[in-house]
Amino acid sequence: MPRRRCAAVVAVLALGACTAQPGSAPSVVHLRPLAAGTRSVAGHSVQGRELTVYRMGSATAKRRVLVIGVIHGDEVAGRRIALSLLHLDVPAGTSLWVVPDGNPDGVAAHTRQNAHRVDLNRNFSYDWAPIGRPGDQQYSGPRALSEPESAALSDLVRRLRPAVTVWFHQPVGVVDESGGSVSVEQRFANTLGEPLRRMTRYHGSATGWQNHGYPGTTAFVVELPRHPTDALDQRAVRAIQNLL
Ligand SMILES: [Zn+2]
């Protein structure tokens, strides 16, 4: 049950506090993490669904880690892991930001793409290229950041400047060497119990944009298996804790 809502993520970052909802007692929220995280809205999907972002830890923490549970709407295993992160205590000086679902229209429709039939992970602004047409598996959209979901997630990254970002996908069962720190990726892979491998780098991908645009930070793809076990979910949570 969210206790507070922020008008925008930027408000959390700038002020370190959210606006209290009517009727709730005013309080400072950045001193202690809430049990289920502090909730705000990073943006909205084509069909108006919220892209919800939760913060555990201090809004002013220097080291920030971001987890995106879903970007391809038919690869939803990461959402379960993301939701179990909302109850974590994080070390002082760090914060964990979690978007359980970055493509809620795709999840609702069980499609990889968003409601404009765009592959959001080909729609980011670094090395964007026209790919396919609406509905094609990797249709990259009419232009970079044409989609509200990719625009909102880009804005979130721009504001947060996370040291590490994890983007969950399925179903390959590997940690992708995505262009950031290989040692960060390797450690994650070791804890997860899946191999580290360099997969194809695509035009307009989220990790490509982050690793190019924010040198010294690391964004990588975690391809969960098709049928992750509870034990694997728990190892994923531990691997994310290690990033903090
Ligand atoms: Zn994917």
Side-chain angles (χ1 to χ4, degrees), residues 167-192:
W167 296 81
F168 280 115
H169 290 255
Q170 277 178 283
V172 184
V174 302
V175 175
D176 177 38
E177 230 184 87
S178 303
S181 163
V182 175
S183 64
V184 169
E185 294 163 339
Q186 182 68 67
R187 189 168 177 226
F188 193 99
N190 292 348
T191 308
L192 187 66

Side-chain angles (χ1 to χ4, degrees), residues 83-94:
L83 291 173
S84 60
L85 298 171
L86 306 187
H87 302 280
L88 286 187
D89 264 338
V90 302
T94 69

Side-chain angles (χ1 to χ4, degrees), residues 20 24 29 34 60 63 82 106 113 137 141 149 156 158 166 190 192 199 216 235:
S24 64
V29 299
L34 298 174
T60 56
R63 181 175 176 79
Q113 302 90 347
Q137 205 202 17
E149 298 90 348
L156 181 65
R158 225 173 269 126
V166 176
N190 292 348
L192 187 66
M199 300 175 72
R235 292 198 299 275

Side-chain angles (χ1 to χ4, degrees), residues 57-70:
S58 164
T60 56
K62 291 275 189 289
R63 181 175 176 79
R64 296 179 286 276
V65 171
L66 173 64
V67 174
I68 311 293
V70 178

Side-chain angles (χ1 to χ4, degrees), residues 71-72 74-75 112 121 168-171 221 223:
I71 184 165
H72 288 146
D74 56 353
E75 302 169 6
R112 171 186 176 92
N121 203 32
F168 280 115
H169 290 255
Q170 277 178 283
V221 165
E223 279 273 351

Side-chain angles (χ1 to χ4, degrees), residues 25 33 36 56 116 124 142 165 183 201 227 232 239:
M56 277 59 63
H116 286 154
F124 284 76
T165 307
S183 64
R201 294 196 183 156
H227 302 292
L232 184 130

